[in-house]
Amino acid sequence: MSKIVLIGANHAGIAAANTILDSYPENEVVIIDKNTNLSYLGCGTALWVGRHIDSYEHLFYTNKEAFEEKGARILMETTVESIDFDNKLIHATRANGEKFEESYDKVILATGSVPIAPNIKGTDLENVQFVKLFQDSQVADKALCDDSIKEVAVIGAGYIGVEMAEAVKRRGKNVRLFDAADTSLNTYYDPWFTEDMDNVLTENGIQTHYGEMVQSFEGKNGKVTDLTTDKGTYKTDLVIMAIGFAPNNSLGKDKLETFNNGAYLVNLKQETSLPDVYAVGDCATIYSNAIEDTTYIALATNAVRSGIVGGHNAAGTPLESIGVQGSNGISIFGYNMVSTGLNLAAAKEAGYEVKYTDFEDLQKPGFIEKNGNVKIRIVYDAKTRRVLGAQMASTEDISMGIHMFSLAIEEKITIDKLKLLDIFFLPHFNQPYNYITMAALSAE
């Protein structure tokens, strides 16, 4: 039996804890988290803030009591100050200021990520708001209930920024979306797709300010009033910061080997550079099957998978990760985009001689009503013809199709294997000449 301490109780930590408690109940499990709650689905913040859903309660999928029933000891509102890895001691402080030590046989770091805070003037002003924790969503929601707040700036046009821009617009506010890049969502999608999303945003009343770098926030009486970029100054009552996230490595960065962005470097068993120390989720690296190398991809799905792998290994069962593809998706004002693997820019940056094939058609035969257009791009290696990535977009729900491409990347399938893929046809669902096979058949 081992005493396993988990630091961090969100997606990765919860997956690791459940794995150990359900499969290895002989172990002593201690969970430490500085928050007042656990298991908050941050990806649902925009759904609640934008009133797609009526309340936030269901964004929590488990609680402290569920783990206590399984035999875990839970220490919430407890901050881990430092870890003595040599002597296997955790130094922590409770909410009341009481300091204590917690020993361990094995420790799993699941400390997640922290919002990137730019070093610019005015970020400490009232109504300059980050969105990460449940408490952040409460503050943002309360601000949007204030009728005096009319002009809202969202900084960062990645997934969270675009989702929050939609949410704020749905609350009846004027929204400006800023990004230094030339388009939205450029990390995951090529311009053929992002230009469509940009049109969706502007058609729904969001003012996009791409290619603009925020320089400062100005305020009056401690509250933000204006935003200045390299191209102009804009009246702003509320700023939502969504630039991105960095791995939270404060506990181990001086002792553990790290990746180029500071994430804990782990192997396929989620083991760090020190024995009996594991790292899972957004604070750790992950193996990409698309680039066939270690990288960093902060996604809740990856966090859960790494937590499962880390939990089994910490409990004594050797298990290796099969790697990930970084599959993801977004739905904004009814326009759906999904992708997996590498887009063109990422593939070229990874050193591939890359080709791609595009296809566009209706989802179903033309005689079917309520029938949306579908765009698909498959990115592949020009030399080996191995599929490296795929992107799809439609007002239809085409999300399940990306899972096939995720498996194709994992299994190193070539573009030619998809040309005569057995895909069923029924007018209710699709066309006899399916856009997946048609795209493959169009490949050079």
Side-chain angles (χ1 to χ4, degrees):
M1 184 183 86
S2 295
K3 180 180 180 181
I4 304 173
V5 178
L6 295 100
I7 302 175
N10 214 17
H11 308 310
I14 285 171
N18 277 326
T19 298
I20 298 167
L21 293 166
D22 294 343
S23 302
Y24 311 95
E26 69 278 7
N27 291 284
E28 179 184 357
V29 175
V30 180
I31 303 174
I32 305 175
D33 196 288
K34 65 181 180 181
N35 209 336
T36 59
N37 58 77
L38 50 82
S39 83
Y40 178 65
L41 286 169
C43 55
T45 292
L47 293 176
W48 173 47
V49 172
R51 297 299 186 263
H52 288 275
I53 56 178
D54 296 330
S55 66
Y56 57 76
E57 283 83 359
H58 294 298
L59 295 178
F60 296 92
Y61 56 89
T62 188
N63 52 46
K64 174 184 175 182
E65 291 71 26
F67 286 104
E68 290 177 333
E69 289 177 5
K70 292 183 178 184
R73 182 157 57 94
I74 313 296
L75 304 175
M76 300 298 294
E77 297 183 76
T78 300
T79 300
V80 175
E81 307 290 355
S82 62
I83 303 175
D84 182 346
F85 293 105
D86 296 327
N87 296 299
K88 294 189 173 183
L89 282 176
I90 294 168
H91 301 279
T93 304
R94 303 183 198 277
N96 62 7
E98 177 191 350
K99 297 184 180 299
F100 68 98
E101 293 180 349
E102 190 75 41
S103 64
Y104 67 86
D105 295 314
K106 298 179 182 180
V107 63
I108 300 176
L109 302 175
T111 50
S113 57
V114 292
I116 295 173
N119 185 24
I120 60 175
K121 175 187 173 185
T123 53
D124 58 342
L125 289 168
E126 183 180 346
N127 285 345
V128 176
Q129 171 71 40
F130 291 90
V131 282
K132 169 76 171 172
L133 305 174
F134 170 61
Q135 291 89 335
D136 297 331
S137 66
Q138 287 182 303
V139 173
D141 182 67
K142 183 179 179 180
L144 292 172
C145 291
D146 186 343
D147 290 338
S148 69
I149 291 181
K150 302 182 184 301
E151 302 291 336
V152 180
V154 179
I155 314 302
Y159 270 174
I160 294 175
V162 169
E163 288 172 342
M164 289 304 297
E166 179 196 21
V168 173
K169 188 62 183 179
R170 288 182 181 276
R171 295 290 290 272
K173 310 296 183 179
N174 296 322
V175 184
R176 291 186 176 93
L177 178 63
F178 294 87
D179 201 287
D182 294 330
T183 184
S184 63
L185 307 178
N186 67 322
T187 301
Y188 296 107
Y189 299 93
D190 294 323
W192 192 43
F193 294 88
T194 61
E195 288 169 4
D196 287 346
M197 179 57 74
D198 293 339
N199 290 334
V200 168
L201 293 169
T202 56
E203 287 167 3
N204 284 278
I206 294 173
Q207 302 173 51
T208 57
H209 293 259
Y210 300 138
E212 286 195 52
M213 184 71 70
V214 176
Q215 295 180 330
S216 67
F217 304 114
E218 304 297 331
K220 185 177 181 180
N221 298 323
K223 185 179 293 186
V224 69
T225 57
D226 295 279
L227 175 155
T228 298
T229 73
D230 55 355
K231 294 185 178 179
T233 298
Y234 309 88
K235 176 177 171 49
T236 303
D237 303 311
L238 173 67
V239 176
I240 295 176
M241 303 292 289
I243 296 175
F245 298 98
N248 183 2
N249 64 3
S250 60
L251 293 175
K253 62 182 179 181
D254 295 328
K255 292 285 288 185
L256 303 175
E257 191 175 347
T258 57
F259 194 52
N260 55 25
N261 71 335
Y264 299 127
L265 190 63
V266 297
N267 61 17
L268 295 178
K269 296 180 179 180
Q270 303 301 138
E271 296 170 331
T272 68
S273 55
L274 288 180
D276 298 327
V277 181
Y278 302 80
V280 296
D282 288 0
C283 67
T285 58
I286 204 157
Y287 185 84
S288 165
N289 291 313
I291 65 172
E292 299 181 299
D293 202 355
T294 298
T295 190
Y296 181 77
I297 306 174
L299 290 171
T301 48
N302 293 345
V304 170
R305 279 188 285 269
S306 67
I308 293 171
V309 173
H312 279 294
N313 282 287
T317 298
L319 179 68
E320 290 192 345
S321 168
I322 60 173
V324 302
Q325 287 68 251
S327 303
N328 60 90
I330 191 170
S331 181
I332 300 295
F333 294 114
Y335 192 66
N336 309 309
M337 291 169 54
V338 292
S339 78
T340 189
L342 308 176
N343 65 3
L344 284 176
K348 291 175 182 176
E349 185 179 349
Y352 291 103
E353 182 185 336
V354 64
K355 288 187 176 182
Y356 66 94
T357 177
D358 295 339
F359 195 75
E360 191 170 359
D361 201 357
L362 292 172
Q363 169 72 24
K364 306 165 190 173
F367 57 81
I368 298 290
E369 296 182 1
K370 297 180 180 180
N371 189 3
N373 192 60
V374 180
K375 297 173 71 167
I376 181 172
R377 168 170 290 177
I378 308 172
V379 178
Y380 61 98
D381 185 344
K383 294 179 179 179
T384 66
R385 302 186 66 78
R386 179 171 72 91
V387 174
L388 299 175
Q391 303 158 63
M392 300 167 66
S394 179
T395 54
E396 300 281 329
D397 182 1
I398 37 78
S399 59
M400 291 302 292
I402 211 67
H403 300 317
M404 187 276 293
F405 285 105
S406 178
L407 182 61
I409 296 169
E410 180 182 318
E411 293 298 314
K412 298 179 173 53
I413 299 298
T414 67
I415 185 68
D416 304 301
K417 274 280 190 178
L418 302 179
K419 291 181 176 180
L420 295 178
L421 179 67
D422 180 13
I423 297 178
F424 89 97
F425 158 65
L426 192 66
H428 303 73
F429 300 102
N430 58 3
Q431 298 226 47
Y433 292 92
N434 188 277
Y435 45 80
I436 293 175
T437 53
M438 291 303 293
L441 284 166
S442 303
E444 291 183 12

